[in-house]
Amino acid sequence: MPLKPFKIFILMCGFCSRFHAVAYPPIQTAQKEVQCGVDVSLRCEVSLLSESSTLQWERDEEQTSNTTLLYNNSAYIILHTIDEHNQGKYYCRLMEDGRVTTVRIHTLNVSSNSYTGNNKINIYRQSSNNSDVSLICKSKKKYDRWKWTWQPRFNSQTDLIAVEKGREVQVKGPIKPGSFSSTTYNSQVFIFHISPVNFNYSGTYRCITNDKNPPYTTTILHTIRVSVEPPDGVLRKRSVILTCEVSEVTDSLTLVWLRMEGNRGVLGKQQIMTEKNKKLQLTVNLSSNETDPLHWQCAVFTEDTLRALAPITISLSSSTETSTVPNQEFNKYAKATVSSCLVLCAGILLGALLYYFYRKRMSVHVDPQESEPVYINISQIRKDRVERSSTLGNREKSPEMYRHVRRHRYEKTNINKRDVTPATSDSVTYATIYFNKSRFQT
């Protein structure tokens, strides 16, 4: 049966509408009212996302400055510690081949107070120097007394900060308030700001008004810590270990290691965590050929909701040789070696100087030119002595030898005792005299 033109037209319209539905997904709308001071996570998903396309969140035609992640054909955004400034519409837009398509519109309404009663707010923060958290206690009513308390896991409750009408704010606990904490009394708002966030700051925080129970606001802070081994730089031919750890788990959650390509995450490893796990951490071992992507993030999910992101960057050394000593330890060894060499050189130089001065001093007291004995006619010496005593001229002309014989510091004289028999002209007596030859040279 041949198709009529009208039926052909209807079929073509249906095909075009189907094609349009595939190319341009329908707009999804949502509206949510949340309390002041909580974290809000938004998710936008498409059926297929090519590498050339982009999916991102915007607010009032501008990109948001909050955390954004693109993973598994979905775009995530986390709004930390929201207040009335975060209220409004958020648009999830798909950009592909120059076309922009709105996929989702989320309207966020923020209440004017942070009252939770018996309910608890769960927030997640990375433990780092750049991380912070603001605990906001805000009410419509006026209260004369406010205080924030902290109860670490398995420990008793501790007062952190308190204020009373007509008095100054008192800091009581071990956690020092950050720069955005309340410093004066306000009957409707009391804020405790923590910066930076340490890993052991996890626990239950309660805002108590006028010392009444239940608390006005109860917030459970979960901290996340990421690390890399070795910590001081990685050589290109060496594998590394990434570790992501969460402080505590109240409900089931999933830890995921993502290798980042821009804001797009590629799955590295994931694991579901519960209270039964002895170690609340996820490790991934990267071989030497997998360390080129330097940027990684640990993502925390509760079901399909992104709760937190903890980024880490692997720094590579310029050397291509493997080493078993981290850079920091190597620097310590190098400094110690240089110091030892300097001390050794100084010791050698000092020893050489002492030896030089010792040799110089000994050369003054000991003349190395003292040598073999010289024999002298004693009779001739006597004759010369008589002649020197007669006239001054003869004394001046006397041999130089005699003066040196008299100087006991430089010469040693050993004269043998002669016989009692008077000397005659023919008798000659010899004596052994040690003296310096060089002084007799003319």
Side-chain angles (χ1 to χ4, degrees), residues 173-239:
I175 302 177
K176 184 180 294 185
S179 58
F180 297 109
S181 297
S182 297
T183 56
T184 58
Y185 169 76
N186 188 314
S187 61
Q188 292 181 292
V189 179
F190 194 47
I191 300 174
F192 183 64
H193 177 239
I194 303 175
S195 178
V197 177
N198 294 337
F199 188 73
N200 58 352
Y201 285 176
S202 63
T204 303
Y205 293 81
R206 296 180 177 90
C207 175
I208 300 176
T209 59
N210 289 348
D211 299 330
K212 292 182 179 180
N213 286 318
Y216 192 86
T217 300
T218 302
T219 303
I220 300 178
L221 174 63
H222 306 265
T223 52
I224 308 161
R225 178 168 55 191
V226 292
S227 60
V228 58
E229 290 291 338
D232 300 313
V234 180
L235 298 176
R236 290 188 179 275
K237 292 185 179 180
R238 188 176 180 180
S239 61

Side-chain angles (χ1 to χ4, degrees), residues 114-131:
S114 61
Y115 179 76
T116 60
N118 293 323
N119 297 326
K120 298 178 181 179
I121 301 172
N122 288 279
I123 60 177
Y124 296 77
R125 290 293 186 276
Q126 180 185 5
S127 173
S128 68
N129 294 329
N130 300 325
S131 181

Side-chain angles (χ1 to χ4, degrees), residues 137-152:
C137 196
K138 187 177 181 181
S139 70
K140 294 180 179 180
K141 295 174 58 177
K142 295 182 179 181
Y143 293 96
D144 294 334
R145 291 186 299 275
W146 299 83
K147 71 176 180 180
W148 276 101
T149 65
W150 174 45
Q151 182 180 355

Side-chain angles (χ1 to χ4, degrees), residues 258-436:
L258 300 173
R259 187 180 74 247
M260 300 306 297
E261 300 175 356
N263 68 337
R264 188 187 298 263
V266 179
L267 177 62
K269 188 178 181 180
Q270 68 179 16
Q271 183 177 345
I272 298 175
M273 297 290 173
T274 62
E275 292 181 326
K276 296 181 180 180
N277 292 90
K278 295 182 179 180
K279 290 186 178 180
L280 302 177
Q281 64 181 25
L282 175 64
T283 60
V284 56
N285 194 342
L286 306 178
S287 61
S288 59
N289 58 354
E290 292 179 325
T291 56
D292 283 338
L294 304 180
H295 303 288
W296 288 75
Q297 290 199 68
C298 177
V300 181
F301 288 91
T302 56
E303 296 180 352
D304 293 332
T305 303
L306 177 65
R307 308 296 298 182
L309 285 173
I312 190 171
T313 300
I314 303 174
S315 58
L316 294 182
S317 172
S318 59
S319 176
T320 58
E321 298 178 359
T322 58
S323 175
T324 59
V325 182
N327 292 343
Q328 186 175 4
E329 295 296 328
F330 176 78
N331 292 335
K332 291 181 180 178
Y333 296 148
K335 291 180 180 179
T337 304
V338 173
S339 301
S340 301
C341 292
L342 291 177
V343 172
L344 180 61
C345 293
I348 294 174
L349 180 60
L350 180 60
L353 289 175
L354 292 175
Y355 180 75
Y356 170 75
F357 286 118
Y358 172 78
R359 294 283 297 175
K360 185 175 182 180
R361 182 178 180 182
M362 293 300 296
S363 65
V364 175
H365 296 283
V366 180
D367 196 333
Q369 294 184 356
E370 289 186 356
S371 57
E372 71 276 1
V374 177
Y375 299 94
I376 305 173
N377 192 326
I378 299 300
S379 299
Q380 183 65 32
I381 295 175
R382 291 177 178 174
K383 184 177 180 181
D384 292 340
R385 183 184 298 175
V386 173
E387 292 177 356
R388 285 197 304 270
S389 61
S390 62
T391 61
L392 179 62
N394 292 334
R395 186 181 307 166
E396 293 177 354
K397 296 179 181 180
S398 63
E400 185 72 18
M401 172 186 66
Y402 180 73
R403 288 200 299 271
H404 288 282
V405 172
R406 299 279 296 181
R407 299 176 64 177
H408 297 284
R409 182 178 180 183
Y410 298 96
E411 293 82 13
K412 299 177 182 178
T413 307
N414 182 15
I415 304 177
N416 297 329
K417 184 177 181 180
R418 63 185 181 88
D419 296 335
V420 181
T421 305
T424 63
S425 58
D426 295 331
S427 64
V428 178
T429 303
Y430 294 95
T432 302
I433 301 175
Y434 294 90
F435 66 97
N436 194 333

